[in-house]
Amino acid sequence: MGTSEAVLPSLSTAVPHLSHSKPCLNSLNSMLHLKSGINSRRKRALGYMQLLNCSRMLRNCRRVYSIQGIDGVSHGKTKISGLESVSCKGHQAESVSGITAEDGHGTIIAPKIKEFEMVEPMKHEKGGFASNGKFAAGGTINDTLGKASVDSIEDEAWNLLRESIVFYCGNPIGTIAANDPSSSSILNYDQVFIRDFIPSGIAFLLKGEYDIVRSFILHTLQLQSWEKTMDCHSPGQGLMPASFKVRTVPLDGDESATEDVLDPDFGEAAIGRVAPVDSGLWWIILLRAYGKCSGDLSVQERFDVQTGIKMILKLCLADGFDMFPTLLVTDGSCMIDRRMGIHGHPLEIQALFYSALLCAREMLAPEDGSSDLIRALNNRVVALSFHIREYYWIDMRKLNEIYRYKTEEYSYDAVNKFNIYPDQIPPWLVEWMPSKGGYLIGNLQPAHMDFRFFSLGNLWSVVSSLATMDQSHAILDLIEAKWSELVADMPFKICYPAFEGQEWRITTGSDPKNTPWSYHNGGSWPTLLWQLTVACIKMNRPEIAEKAVKIAEKRISRDKWPEYYDTKQARFIGKQARLFQTWSIAGYLVSKLLLANPDAANILVNREDSDLVSAFSSMLSANPRRKRDWKGLKQKFIV
């Protein structure tokens, strides 16, 4: 997968998909590049060879590299779901409309090919590594994966990221999860996952390529309102899919015409059949980032987008039986999408929930219909921040307090509110907790504290200001103090420590993929670099992220951009890890871009406002049996 066979001339006109020829060309910003080795399953996706009088080299090509393509192919071929799907009709070889437009029914029409002008092949400005991953003339062909400089690693990463772009009706719509040519089992890695696309989307935003992010936001919004069922049961309105796939299929059995179809998965096809809680939260975060980075606020101001935000919020803010302000979810509903003992109120979801609430509050248009929703949002923000900061936080002082807890306290003024038994403190934590530093535990429920360190939840608590400033610095202090355990030979541990022995068997169901120090069970995930970088930049400690990036650069390209690493020190590529994992590639690029321009991190950071600080202080000082007094606040919050 590393390099292409040749560099193609660029075209002056963007070329859309056509049907029933060997796929040959992609284009974006008038750049074309070539790569060999497409699977025969893509045969129907593109057909430029009947339109272009290609050279013999072009006639022999089977696959395309796209540097900045606005056109591409659908990936893989699976039986189309019998449920509803979004399609783009009128995608014909002989006659296509002249511009990309909507036909009044939400159907997007691909652009017509008018003319082509062949120009000189593009070469890298340094005369060495060409933009499609191949050495230009005069360069020395070498094993670049093992000996590439930092610049060439970045070039390679950009080429691989753009290779992974998926197109819908001639427009970029997302990136597939992995593009591993060595894997014979595709599973669902050829789909566009919402959570996986986030670092890809941020990378494109920071590069000034906004169209793909805008397209992703609007098309996933179209999928939101679909009614999907699992054994005759429909999930709540507002649910976002975990992933979707672009399929190119014959139009009404006509071999001369095709249509692109968006086929989403809301969890009904996933392992464990668990719906994603994090998809809608990430979607809101990316929507805000798009507006702040591009300056285009028209997307978030659209009526359908405003409706989409409200639907997600109503789903998350709905009243239920739970007494806590945290979001109650099941195992497998987030990045850790298999059974790992995180059911209940996992920190990762709470951090994303809090961040999404703050992002939504910025974007919601002030109108009569949204006043009640904004009031409920403000109420939840205050209660959630208090709950996480007060009850999830642990350091040496808090650990000693838990060690001396009294149990069976029945009163409003109980110190041990969740009836935590001191014997729950695991032996590893007593030795592992540094004297300086602390973190937010992974989960909290009655008589249960999950003391594991979960990286994404802690890092995003820093980014979103769910953690206080002191707590945020303490989290980074702990990362520095426990560098050999959390980073080691490849950043970054998804959680620490791993389940082992009988505990692993009971908690994971003897999951062979989540064996100790692998995958979600203590594996190391390079994609977490970008969350680490944003957190470090926010706290003005970028040197921590820079150190982690340098460690990653020693191996990640040579190892072919794995999905995750195994063992305590992250010395082995994961035993079932996909290579050329897109969010590993994108996570590295986002880290590099943000370290080069730290101010750009503001598109992701949430700053705590003064009203929230005042409300939080009032809650700490108020008697729990007395009604809260909010008279001193400029903005009213209901608790």
Side-chain angles (χ1 to χ4, degrees):
M1 178 178 167
T3 59
S4 65
E5 295 297 332
V7 180
L8 296 181
S10 61
L11 299 182
S12 61
T13 306
V15 186
H17 287 299
L18 294 172
S19 61
H20 296 292
S21 295
K22 290 184 179 180
C24 194
L25 297 177
N26 285 339
S27 71
L28 179 60
N29 295 343
S30 304
M31 290 308 307
L32 288 171
H33 293 283
L34 168 65
K35 185 186 175 185
S36 63
I38 191 171
N39 190 297
S40 61
R41 287 173 292 187
R42 298 188 183 179
K43 190 173 181 180
R44 294 183 302 180
L46 294 176
Y48 297 110
M49 291 184 61
Q50 293 181 350
L51 300 173
L52 298 176
N53 185 16
C54 297
S55 65
R56 180 174 301 174
M57 175 185 67
L58 295 180
R59 292 190 184 98
N60 293 332
C61 76
R62 298 173 60 203
R63 186 176 170 188
V64 180
Y65 260 27
S66 174
I67 290 304
Q68 292 182 340
I70 61 168
D71 219 343
V73 300
S74 59
H75 298 267
K77 181 179 180 182
T78 312
K79 183 177 179 181
I80 299 174
S81 170
L83 299 172
E84 297 180 80
S85 60
V86 173
S87 65
C88 171
K89 299 182 180 179
H91 195 191
Q92 303 183 20
E94 290 79 10
S95 177
V96 197
S97 64
I99 59 172
T100 300
E102 294 187 356
D103 66 355
H105 300 285
T107 300
I108 302 177
I109 307 301
K112 180 179 179 181
I113 301 174
K114 293 185 176 180
E115 60 180 357
F116 302 95
E117 178 182 348
M118 307 303 288
V119 296
E120 289 297 317
M122 178 180 180
K123 296 181 180 179
H124 194 279
E125 59 183 2
K126 296 183 180 179
F129 201 80
S131 296
N132 66 334
K134 182 72 177 177
F135 279 100
T140 302
I141 298 178
N142 208 332
D143 182 9
T144 60
L145 291 177
K147 301 179 181 180
S149 66
V150 172
D151 287 343
S152 63
I153 292 176
E154 291 184 54
D155 291 338
E156 179 196 4
W158 275 113
N159 296 331
L160 293 173
L161 179 60
R162 289 185 171 121
E163 273 184 68
S164 70
I165 294 176
V166 175
F167 297 81
Y168 176 67
C169 301
N171 297 312
I173 193 175
T175 53
I176 58 173
N179 200 2
D180 182 0
S182 66
S183 176
S184 59
S185 177
I186 298 176
L187 295 178
N188 56 356
Y189 282 80
D190 63 343
Q191 299 190 21
V192 181
F193 281 80
I194 288 187
R195 72 172 67 96
D196 289 42
F197 179 74
I198 300 304
S200 297
I202 299 301
F204 287 125
L205 288 178
L206 296 176
K207 200 72 171 176
E209 299 172 16
Y210 307 133
D211 288 347
I212 185 173
V213 181
R214 185 179 189 274
S215 179
F216 173 86
I217 289 170
L218 295 178
H219 281 94
T220 49
L221 179 65
Q222 292 180 19
L223 304 178
Q224 180 192 29
S225 60
W226 289 19
E227 293 183 1
K228 288 286 185 172
T229 61
M230 170 63 182
D231 293 338
C232 304
H233 176 71
S234 299
Q237 189 180 30
L239 181 69
M240 282 289 201
S243 63
F244 63 86
K245 188 169 186 173
V246 181
R247 306 183 194 279
T248 301
V249 299
L251 181 60
D252 298 327
D254 184 0
E255 291 296 324
S256 64
T258 62
E259 63 176 339
D260 283 353
V261 176
L262 290 181
D263 188 16
D265 175 18
F266 289 80
E268 72 274 12
I271 295 175
R273 303 310 193 257
V274 179
V277 178
D278 60 341
S279 291
L281 306 178
W282 276 124
W283 183 85
I284 290 176
I285 293 169
L286 182 64
L287 174 62
R288 172 184 179 259
Y290 169 82
K292 292 181 74 70
C293 190
S294 68
D296 176 18
L297 301 182
S298 64
V299 174
Q300 67 189 48
E301 293 171 352
R302 288 172 48 145
F303 177 79
D304 56 343
V305 175
Q306 288 284 312
T307 302
I309 296 173
K310 293 175 184 177
M311 288 173 64
I312 296 172
L313 292 178
K314 289 177 180 177
L315 182 64
C316 295
L317 295 172
D319 292 332
F321 290 100
D322 200 12
M323 290 292 293
F324 311 134
T326 43
L327 214 52
L328 178 62
V329 298
T330 188
D331 248 342
S333 60
C334 54
M335 178 183 177
I336 298 178
D337 57 4
R338 297 167 79 99
R339 181 178 169 188
M340 267 289 290
I342 62 169
H343 56 278
H345 308 85
L347 177 65
E348 175 181 330
I349 291 296
Q350 314 315 320
L352 293 175
F353 181 35
Y354 185 80
S355 182
L357 289 176
L358 295 183
C359 292
R361 190 169 65 179
E362 287 185 26
M363 296 185 293
L364 279 175
E367 57 185 25
D368 294 338
S370 61
S371 57
D372 290 341
L373 187 61
I374 292 176
R375 188 180 301 110
L377 186 156
N378 286 330
N379 169 46
R380 195 63 166 264
V381 163
V382 177
L384 181 61
S385 62
F386 173 82
H387 186 86
I388 296 295
R389 294 172 179 182
E390 184 71 7
Y391 304 125
Y392 276 61
W393 180 253
I394 188 168
D395 53 16
M396 279 299 294
R397 182 196 64 79
K398 186 64 177 290
L399 190 60
N400 195 61
E401 179 182 317
I402 296 172
Y403 182 73
R404 294 172 54 81
Y405 265 170
K406 296 178 181 179
T407 58
E408 315 299 333
E409 292 183 298
Y410 181 82
S411 69
Y412 289 101
D413 300 322
V415 175
N416 186 3
K417 293 182 174 61
F418 299 94
N419 201 35
I420 303 300
Y421 296 94
D423 289 345
Q424 290 185 33
I425 299 175
W428 67 264
L429 181 59
V430 176
E431 302 298 328
W432 192 73
M433 178 64 73
S435 56
K436 180 183 179 182
Y439 66 98
L440 297 167
I441 61 172
N443 213 328
L444 176 65
Q445 299 183 76
H448 172 70
M449 295 183 78
D450 186 345
F451 288 99
R452 286 176 293 172
F453 175 89
F454 286 88
S455 300
L456 177 54
N458 274 276
L459 293 174
W460 211 257
S461 294
V462 175
V463 174
S464 65
S465 295
L466 178 57
T468 66
M469 291 296 290
D470 289 341
Q471 289 173 345
S472 297
H473 278 295
I475 290 171
L476 297 184
D477 288 339
L478 179 132
I479 290 173
E480 286 192 304
K482 297 300 174 180
W483 190 264
S484 60
E485 287 96 338
L486 299 177
V487 178
D489 290 350
M490 178 60 66
F492 198 89
K493 279 279 184 294
I494 191 171
C495 69
Y496 185 92
F499 284 131
E500 299 183 89
Q502 187 67 11
E503 187 180 23
W504 164 75
R505 293 183 180 90
I506 294 172
T507 305
T508 72
S510 299
D511 186 350
K513 196 167 185 178
N514 272 332
T515 52
W517 308 107
S518 178
Y519 203 46
H520 299 135
N521 190 17
S524 296
W525 293 68
T527 187
L528 292 171
L529 270 175
W530 77 273
Q531 288 101 332
L532 173 66
T533 302
V534 179
C536 291
I537 289 175
K538 184 199 172 189
M539 303 310 298
N540 198 28
R541 297 171 68 172
E543 66 280 357
I544 300 175
E546 290 171 353
K547 182 180 177 182
V549 169
K550 288 179 180 178
I551 291 175
E553 286 175 338
K554 294 178 182 179
R555 296 178 55 195
I556 194 167
S557 174
R558 183 186 67 203
D559 293 341
K560 302 180 183 179
W561 307 91
E563 180 182 12
Y564 63 93
Y565 286 80
D566 284 355
T567 75
K568 288 184 179 181
Q569 298 298 311
R571 301 188 69 181
F572 294 164
I573 297 173
K575 60 180 179 294
Q576 295 189 45
R578 289 300 196 279
L579 303 181
F580 301 103
Q581 185 81 11
T582 302
W583 70 350
S584 296
I585 296 164
Y588 167 76
L589 288 173
V590 172
S591 293
K592 296 292 290 187
L593 289 167
L594 291 178
L595 289 173
N597 181 21
D599 290 341
N602 288 324
I603 68 173
L604 296 164
V605 167
N606 300 112
R607 304 291 179 181
E608 192 173 49
D609 57 62
S610 58
D611 288 343
L612 185 60
V613 174
S614 300
F616 183 69
S617 299
S618 297
M619 293 184 74
L620 285 176
S621 59
N623 186 312
R625 301 185 66 178
R626 191 173 63 229
K627 188 176 180 179
R628 313 296 187 199
D629 181 12
W630 307 103
K631 294 181 180 179
L633 295 178
K634 298 178 182 178
Q635 186 174 359
K636 303 295 191 230
F637 295 95
I638 300 175
V639 177

